Every structure is written in C-alpha cells, then in structure tokens.
Amino acid sequence: MEIAVKYEGNSARQDRQIESFAQLENQLIPASLDDARVRGLRNEAIAKLSKFTPRSLGQALRISGITPADVTVLAIHLGRGQKV
C-alpha cells in the first residue's frame, strides 16, 4: 500500500499519456493533405510525411525524424479545419 501511494503521481501521469496517445491514433490525416503547405512544419518532417504517408497522427509520431512538435503543428493545422 505504501508503494501504491508513493507512485500514485507516476501512475496518473502514465494514464494521461496513454489517453493522449490513443487520441493521436484516432485523429486521421487526410490523404489530400499537402504537407508542404502546413506552416511551421520542418523540412525533414515534410520529407518524411511525404515518403511514408501516415494515416493518423499516432503513426506519424512513430516515424523516425518526426518530433512531437511536428505532430503538434499537424494537429493544430488539422484542428483549425484549414484547407488541405
């Protein structure tokens, strides 16, 4: 019981991270998205996204060379409903 109390904060944080990753898996990237037109996306990210064409933000995050910041930029772009 003492251990459970000691690590309670870590458990809660991990639960939030799992929920966050699940949401990324559910947020789809439209096939019509022109990566080069997404403002703020790094050139390496544009190249990787064009090469691998992930279907969701979760898949994009697992591509080597794609940073969490790149996924955030994509999420903001998609969330704004900008023309893709």
Side-chain angles (χ1 to χ4, degrees), residues 6-47:
K6 185 175 182 178
Y7 292 104
E8 185 176 342
N10 291 341
S11 268
R13 185 178 63 230
Q14 283 182 333
D15 290 343
R16 288 190 303 271
Q17 287 176 334
I18 290 168
E19 178 64 30
S20 175
F21 288 132
Q23 289 175 356
L24 289 177
E25 286 299 327
N26 292 329
Q27 190 165 1
L28 299 179
I29 300 172
S32 60
L33 177 69
D34 182 3
D35 306 319
R37 296 186 59 122
V38 178
R39 298 178 89 180
L41 204 55
R42 297 175 313 111
N43 289 335
E44 180 181 5
I46 293 169

